[in-house]
Amino acid sequence: MATKNEVDLGEDIEKVNEDIGHLWDFLFSPDLWISIGIAALKIFFIVIVALTFVRISRNLVDRLFKRREKGPIRLTERRENTLKKLIKNVVAYVVYFIAIMMILDNVLGFQVGALLAGAGVAGLAIGFGAQNLVRDIISGFFIIFEDQFSVGDYVGVAGIEGTVEEIGLRTTKVLSWTGEMNILPNGNVTQVINYSVHNGLSIVDINIPYESNVAEAEPLIEEIVETLPDKYDFIVGKPEIIGVQNLDVSHFVIRVIAETLPGFQWAGERNIRREIQHKLYQEGVEIPSPRIVMYSGNEKDNILDKNRERGQ
């Protein structure tokens, strides 16, 4: 006769086998796979519609701004690029949010209303700790509204210099000239240096050795600066020779300034310096170098005696 433990073990095994059978029937039930297939088709359809709507909206935004060019309202190219990217991003965020809500509600069966209500209560509590997020969004709004800078501008913000790639409501992307992409929270943009709004000024100092005098050096520099506006489109007007800026140990300094298009002041300095140096080299004016003059003891005494005689 079987013992009680053996009977209980047999019942447990039979129950496990029964549960496995139910699970097997559930996993390979036609109704389950049909419902999964229908849900997958619904999700696929919602995603395709959302992506299509985003693409169509982007094309509409581009056409809208092209038609605006013929209208009475005029926007700068910088501001136009900024607004276009901002509108496209906002539309994409809204469409994707609606698509996710539709998938949760219509496909997966979540109670979106209750979920949103709970999120609202939780958001009220989280909002007290999300001051930085609110500050970033408000700062981003005023950056765009006040046109502090736009996409394509070369700016200096938060210790970073580069070209603005994108302006969002929360962050700004700045591409450094060395290739780094810097993503800055808009709340950190407390001071902006925008190099792309007004014309720049190239300042070039030319070192001339004392063996050449000002009367010889300035005409040579004047001759070359007259040709620069024709060679370089970004130089606005004829550069101006300010005059002798400084007297150094082995040379004197002649300063040249030139007005350039926005953001081209550094290119102007490099090209002006190269053209003037080439001209001076052709005319035999050498670049000054530091010099050390050494005297022997006797020569030193003779020089001191001559200086005393001159002082008398």
Side-chain angles (χ1 to χ4, degrees):
M1 176 178 286
T3 63
K4 182 178 180 180
N5 292 334
E6 292 176 349
V7 173
D8 293 339
L9 179 61
E11 291 178 354
D12 293 338
I13 294 174
E14 183 178 355
K15 185 176 181 181
V16 170
N17 291 332
E18 184 178 354
D19 293 338
I20 293 174
H22 288 309
L23 179 61
W24 184 269
D25 294 338
F26 175 76
L27 292 176
F28 291 93
S29 172
D31 295 336
L32 173 65
W33 290 104
I34 290 174
S35 61
I36 292 176
I38 293 174
L41 288 176
K42 288 182 179 180
I43 294 174
F44 178 77
F45 178 74
I46 292 173
V47 171
I48 292 298
V49 171
L51 294 176
T52 303
F53 188 86
V54 170
R55 178 170 295 183
I56 292 174
S57 65
R58 289 178 176 176
N59 292 333
L60 289 176
V61 171
D62 292 334
R63 292 183 181 181
L64 178 64
F65 277 90
K66 285 183 179 179
R67 292 181 180 179
R68 183 210 51 76
E69 294 176 357
K70 300 179 181 179
I73 301 177
R74 299 293 180 181
L75 294 176
T76 61
E77 184 178 357
R78 303 163 38 256
R79 191 163 180 79
E80 180 177 318
N81 292 334
T82 302
L83 293 176
K84 283 168 63 175
K85 282 195 174 184
L86 180 62
I87 293 173
K88 290 177 181 179
N89 289 337
V90 170
V91 171
Y93 294 153
V94 172
V95 171
Y96 293 151
F97 177 78
I98 294 175
I100 293 174
M101 291 298 101
M102 292 179 63
I103 292 174
L104 292 176
D105 190 3
N106 299 333
V107 179
L108 302 180
F110 288 97
Q111 298 295 328
V112 177
L115 184 64
L116 291 177
V121 175
L124 182 62
I126 296 174
F128 291 102
Q131 297 180 7
N132 290 336
L133 177 62
V134 175
R135 184 188 64 177
D136 293 340
I137 294 176
I138 294 176
S139 299
F141 171 79
F142 280 105
I143 288 174
I144 298 170
F145 180 75
E146 296 176 352
D147 194 20
Q148 297 179 12
F149 54 84
S150 301
V151 173
D153 288 357
Y154 190 87
V155 299
V157 291
I160 297 171
E161 286 191 2
T163 304
V164 179
E165 291 289 310
E166 183 178 334
I167 302 176
L169 287 178
R170 197 184 69 83
T171 60
T172 295
K173 296 181 180 179
V174 179
L175 180 64
S176 300
W177 68 276
T178 51
E180 297 88 357
M181 178 64 73
N182 302 279
I183 302 176
L184 306 172
N186 290 331
N188 292 348
V189 181
T190 57
Q191 184 177 0
V192 179
I193 303 175
N194 195 332
Y195 297 97
S196 300
V197 176
H198 301 292
N199 286 346
L201 188 67
S202 296
I203 302 176
V204 179
D205 289 335
I206 309 299
N207 298 333
I208 306 296
Y210 285 118
E211 286 77 8
S212 300
N213 55 45
V214 177
E216 294 175 352
E218 284 191 348
L220 296 177
I221 298 175
E222 182 73 24
E223 182 180 345
I224 191 62
V225 297
E226 290 179 351
T227 64
L228 294 179
D230 297 330
K231 290 184 178 180
Y232 304 101
D233 296 335
F234 51 81
I235 295 180
V236 180
K238 174 186 170 183
E240 181 181 357
I241 300 176
I242 299 299
V244 178
Q245 179 69 20
N246 190 20
L247 299 176
D248 212 323
V249 176
S250 60
H251 61 272
F252 59 91
V253 179
I254 295 179
R255 172 161 292 183
V256 178
I257 62 173
E259 185 178 359
T260 66
L261 295 178
F264 284 90
Q265 53 266 43
W266 301 285
E269 291 178 359
R270 291 192 298 269
N271 287 278
I272 293 172
R273 194 176 292 113
R274 179 172 63 87
E275 295 287 346
I276 293 178
Q277 191 277 333
H278 180 67
K279 179 66 175 179
L280 294 178
Y281 179 79
Q282 287 181 333
E283 298 296 331
V285 180
E286 298 181 357
I287 298 175
S289 57
R291 302 174 184 179
I292 299 177
V293 181
M294 301 181 64
Y295 300 97
S296 63
N298 296 331
E299 291 176 342
K300 178 182 177 181
D301 294 336
N302 294 333
I303 292 173
L304 292 175
D305 293 338
K306 291 180 180 179
N307 291 334
R308 292 192 188 100
E309 292 175 359
R310 291 176 183 176
Q312 293 176 355

